[in-house]
Amino acid sequence: MHDTQDEIGSGGTALRTSRYRVSGMDCGSCAAKIETALRRVPGIREVRVSVPAGTVTVSHDDTLGTETVVRPLAALGYGAVPADPVAEAGPSACGGGCCGTAAHSHPHPHGHSQSHDDASEAPWWRGRKALLTMTAGAALAAATALGLLVPAAEPWAFPLALMVGLVPVARRALAAARAGTPFSIEMLMTVAAIGALLIGAVEEAATVLVLFLVGELLEGVAAGRARAGIRGLTALVPDTALLERDGGAPQPVPAAGLAVGSIILVRPGDRVAADGIVLSGRSAVDDSPVTGESLPKPKAEGDAVFAGTINADGALRVRVTATARDNTIARIVRLVEEAQAGKAPTERLIDRFARFYTPGIVGVAALVAVVPPLAFGGGWTEWIYRALAVLLIGCPCALVISTPAAIAAGLSNGARRGLLLKGGAVLEALGRITSVAFDKTGTLTEGKPRVTDLIPFGGSEADLLADAAALEAGSSHPLARAILAAAAERGIAPPVADDVTALPGAGLTGKVGARTVALLSPQAATLTTAQAGQAAVFAEAGKTVSVLLVDGSPAGLIAMRDEPRPDARSGIAALERAGIRSLMVTGDNARTAGAVAGMLGMAAHAELLPDDKLRIVRDLQAKGQRVAKVGDGINDAPALAAADVGIAMGGGTDVALETADAAILHGRVGDVAAMVALSRRTMATIRQNIALALGLKAVFLLTTVLGVTGLWPAILADTGATVLVTANALRLLSARP
């Protein structure tokens, strides 16, 4: 059980938050029954139910035991087990170089530590709903066959077949009524079945009950498929890791117990067992399970790797930076499940409507049963039959599940593509965005300068770059790293520089062989008019310029700039096509910001402090704009929090990730437009689902009152609507903008 002591209740009682996996909970009506029942338990202060995640989270008095929570759920017919038992496990005290142990866990053949969670996820055909449905169906088939073979047995065969399915349903109905939910679908079904039995429509009642059970089973299968989409991520992490210990050969150990600081070996073809930093080795790593990147990324010393990704072609030694419960995949799953537990505004509206809808339908059914016979002389049997059919139409399952099913599928789709959204409210809000404010450094650009231009004055580009790299060897300055990276990309081995000395405010100087070489700023060098003009052109384009001097004479210019991400221009264009305006808000100088913004076709606001970024966001909102803010640093946090939707880019600081409403894991500017497209498609699906659910019920309500349709079509309409809206929502799992 994921159990945390988080606050003190009134009267000084300590409160705990506990989380449970619930089996058999497949729709919004189930969630309403569970929430109502648990809120009536003394000592429980708050209840949050997530149908998409199949979980219930309760805040309760510290003295309340697990059995007290599980018992009322069992009475309603739901299985419940504590979630996240491994979360209580910590690394052993043996320090960073060894492996801890994970309590209550053992290797699971699908690649993750098996817990009680897994035990509750039996195949659907072995579940209680499937067994009841098959038993009731077999009883109905046997009664039908017996009635054909022995007609005299028909009067008792069908009532017995009806009882096989009705008794369990009626027990759940009574349990729900005692727990505070009198108008449950089980109660409506029970009343309809008993009423049909009393007016002699017993064969129809038995058939309708079987159809009801089949519908519930299909709901469960669909809900299980939606949950499997995100939970399947946990199966990507391997069972074991090769742990280096005391300089000996790496030994296989459970990956769930790796401690922070452990050193593991990742062989070619292996999945990475934990988040970490590469200590040695070079390889290409397939990050697609975490970031959605289509191509493997090169990894070398100092690069980060994620648990569940695949090492392609070289051995890597990795220092573990996060335990199993805190690695990237675990955080993604936790984030998505928490997001699914929160309700979107549309979902809250539907829930409020559903609370009045079912009692209203019961009232309509009562009027249908008594008004025509009393006022117009209609036949009691005929109108009671029609009223019973109206009752079956009164189930709000399709309507209640229409929104959360689509929201859950949209969130899962995004998570599997590296687009994390913290709840349905965020997913809804993204589709209404009209302006996006981007940070520049690390968001629109790659966050590190690159050599863009080499202008030698007499020699070759290779000689110019080699001499500059010789002076910068060993430096960690971003511009030095840019020069060294450019030399490495061209296969240039820089010569050795001696007596390298920093010139404060000017640059570097040193000896390369017999020559005196210096790398200076344009202001510190003596240049011809033409050379100075070229340097000025680069500076006007927002580039940083260094001048190489050999024996006091200018040998060339090196221009560097933090270049836009490869997809930045296309990403901005995609937003423009969607009717969304983009602007840059940055603390960088106006010249550099203007140059980059000009390349991308957007307005620039430069030399801003965090308060200035916040002011721009609020000014846009005051003009009626719905604003998304995209950034990756601490200085973006205030604006991220104030925006209608704050989006943190991949590689951002923890502060940005915590403050933001959404996160883009692999740092593509185009993914902002992808988020908007996912939101709009999800909202379109929700509108389709609501229209389908209400439309079908309206049609069959009318035809039932008019006597055109009866019990069978009524239950088929209810079951069919629920299955249709769920299936429509599941299409979002594989949707790509």
Side-chain angles (χ1 to χ4, degrees):
M1 175 170 54
H2 184 53
D3 225 19
T4 58
Q5 185 169 345
D6 48 14
E7 58 181 301
I8 302 297
S10 59
T13 305
L15 296 184
R16 282 194 177 276
T17 299
S18 303
R19 189 163 167 266
Y20 297 82
R21 295 273 181 205
V22 181
S23 57
M25 178 176 65
D26 306 321
C27 70
S29 296
C30 300
K33 284 185 291 186
I34 289 171
E35 183 172 349
T36 301
L38 289 178
R39 286 189 184 278
R40 293 161 66 98
V41 175
I44 290 183
R45 308 300 179 87
E46 184 182 355
V47 181
R48 287 197 308 157
V49 183
S50 172
V51 175
T55 61
V56 58
T57 304
V58 294
S59 293
H60 57 84
D61 292 348
D62 193 24
T63 56
L64 205 67
T66 298
E67 182 59 31
T68 309
V69 178
V70 171
R71 191 184 305 115
L73 301 187
L76 292 172
Y78 302 104
V81 293
D84 302 330
V86 177
E88 296 289 50
S92 68
C94 54
C98 60
C99 180
T101 58
H104 313 301
S105 68
H106 55 275
H108 186 277
H110 296 295
H112 61 289
S113 294
Q114 185 175 4
S115 71
H116 298 301
D117 290 8
D118 306 296
S120 67
E121 297 297 321
W124 66 266
W125 62 85
R126 289 171 51 191
R128 286 181 295 180
K129 283 188 177 182
L131 294 176
L132 177 59
T133 302
M134 289 186 286
T135 303
L140 177 61
T144 303
L146 188 60
L148 292 174
L149 296 174
V150 187
E154 186 174 302
W156 55 264
F158 279 102
L160 285 178
L162 174 63
M163 290 300 116
V164 170
L166 181 58
V167 170
V169 172
R171 288 176 60 186
R172 281 158 46 197
L174 292 173
R178 285 196 298 268
T181 309
F183 295 111
S184 64
I185 178 57
E186 289 85 1
M187 184 63 77
L188 299 181
M189 188 67 238
T190 300
V191 172
I194 293 174
L197 178 64
L198 294 177
I199 64 174
V202 63
E203 296 177 36
E204 199 167 1
T207 305
V208 166
L209 187 64
V210 170
L211 290 175
F212 166 74
L213 294 173
V214 169
E216 280 206 321
L217 181 61
L218 291 176
E219 288 177 21
V221 172
R225 182 184 165 194
R227 288 171 195 148
I230 188 63
R231 286 194 199 168
L233 285 173
T234 59
L236 297 173
V237 181
D239 292 342
T240 58
L242 291 175
L243 178 70
E244 292 188 3
R245 213 179 278 174
D246 300 327
Q251 298 294 319
V253 298
L258 288 172
V260 173
S262 300
I263 309 299
I264 59 174
L265 175 68
V266 186
R267 299 169 301 188
D270 285 354
R271 285 190 181 271
V272 180
D275 285 6
I277 299 294
V278 176
L279 293 180
S280 62
R282 288 181 175 272
S283 183
V285 176
D286 180 3
D287 283 346
S288 60
V290 173
T291 67
E293 288 281 3
S294 57
L295 296 174
K297 294 180 67 174
K299 301 285 184 178
E301 182 179 345
D303 289 335
V305 292
F306 304 112
T309 56
I310 304 167
N311 183 25
D313 50 22
L316 297 174
R317 291 178 67 246
V318 175
R319 177 172 55 82
V320 175
T321 57
T323 60
R325 65 168 296 189
D326 290 323
N327 65 36
T328 301
I329 284 182
R331 290 172 65 190
I332 290 173
V333 172
R334 199 155 53 235
L335 177 64
V336 173
E337 291 193 343
E338 288 171 359
Q340 290 173 343
K343 293 187 177 181
T346 301
E347 185 178 352
R348 288 195 293 269
L349 179 64
I350 292 295
D351 283 349
R352 286 196 296 270
F353 174 76
R355 281 200 292 270
F356 298 100
Y357 171 81
T358 303
I361 287 291
V362 172
V364 170
L367 292 175
V368 169
V370 300
V371 171
L374 292 177
F376 306 107
W380 282 98
T381 299
E382 176 188 355
W383 285 101
I384 288 174
Y385 178 88
R386 295 185 187 183
L388 295 175
V390 170
L391 270 184
L392 296 181
I393 297 170
C395 171
C397 284
L399 181 62
V400 172
I401 201 67
S402 61
T403 298
I407 292 289
L411 292 173
S412 296
N413 176 300
R416 298 185 76 86
R417 291 163 46 207
L419 312 176
L420 298 186
L421 299 103
K422 298 180 181 178
V426 177
L427 187 57
E428 275 197 39
L430 271 166
R432 299 192 292 268
I433 290 300
T434 57
S435 295
V436 180
F438 287 92
D439 180 41
K440 181 184 76 70
T441 306
T443 301
L444 289 170
T445 66
E446 295 179 347
K448 53 186 178 182
R450 299 174 62 87
V451 172
T452 59
D453 301 273
L454 293 168
I455 308 295
F457 300 149
S460 67
E461 290 185 0
D463 292 339
L464 173 63
L465 196 55
D467 285 341
L471 290 177
E472 297 285 19
S475 174
S476 60
H477 190 279
L479 295 179
R481 288 202 297 267
I483 290 173
L484 292 170
E489 287 172 5
R490 292 165 171 78
I492 297 172
V496 176
D498 299 315
D499 302 326
V500 177
T501 304
L503 304 175
L508 296 169
T509 184
K511 300 285 288 186
V512 177
R515 299 173 299 147
T516 299
V517 179
L519 193 63
L520 307 176
S521 67
Q523 293 78 16
T526 302
L527 301 174
T528 66
T529 302
Q531 293 167 347
Q534 181 64 70
V537 170
F538 287 145
E540 196 62 34
K543 300 179 181 182
T544 299
V545 182
S546 292
V547 182
L548 184 78
L549 282 74
V550 177
D551 294 329
S553 299
L557 302 178
I558 300 176
M560 292 161 281
R561 184 172 61 190
D562 183 11
E563 289 291 272
R565 293 180 183 271
D567 76 320
R569 186 169 182 81
S570 61
I572 299 301
L575 287 171
E576 187 176 348
R577 289 194 299 272
I580 298 171
R581 173 194 173 213
S582 299
L583 64 151
M584 178 194 294
V585 289
T586 178
D588 207 346
N589 67 78
R591 190 167 56 188
T592 301
V596 175
M599 295 171 63
L600 301 178
M602 63 195 305
H605 301 265
E607 301 178 11
L608 303 176
L609 296 173
D611 287 351
D612 298 322
K613 296 182 180 182
L614 176 61
R615 174 182 49 77
I616 289 173
V617 167
R618 286 184 170 159
D619 286 347
L620 289 170
Q621 291 170 327
K623 295 174 183 177
Q625 298 285 305
R626 293 184 180 270
V627 183
K629 173 67 176 73
V630 187
D632 72 333
I634 292 174
N635 63 343
D636 293 301
L640 286 171
D644 294 280
V645 179
I647 303 173
M649 289 283 273
T653 65
D654 287 342
V655 173
L657 292 172
E658 291 298 325
T659 306
D661 303 301
I664 295 173
L665 292 186
H666 46 62
R668 285 201 297 252
V669 177
D671 279 350
V672 178
M675 275 187 171
V676 173
L678 179 62
S679 168
R680 292 179 177 179
R681 183 158 187 171
T682 301
M683 295 311 298
T685 300
I686 288 172
R687 289 190 289 271
Q688 294 165 7
N689 282 352
I690 292 173
L692 188 62
L694 289 178
L696 274 175
K697 288 186 181 296
V699 168
F700 279 90
L701 180 62
L702 180 63
T703 57
T704 298
V705 172
L706 294 176
V708 178
T709 55
L711 288 176
W712 291 18
I715 195 67
L716 283 174
D718 174 69
T719 298
T722 303
V723 172
L724 283 174
V725 300
T726 305
N728 191 39
L730 289 178
R731 292 189 306 119
L732 288 168
L733 287 174
S734 56
R736 294 191 71 86

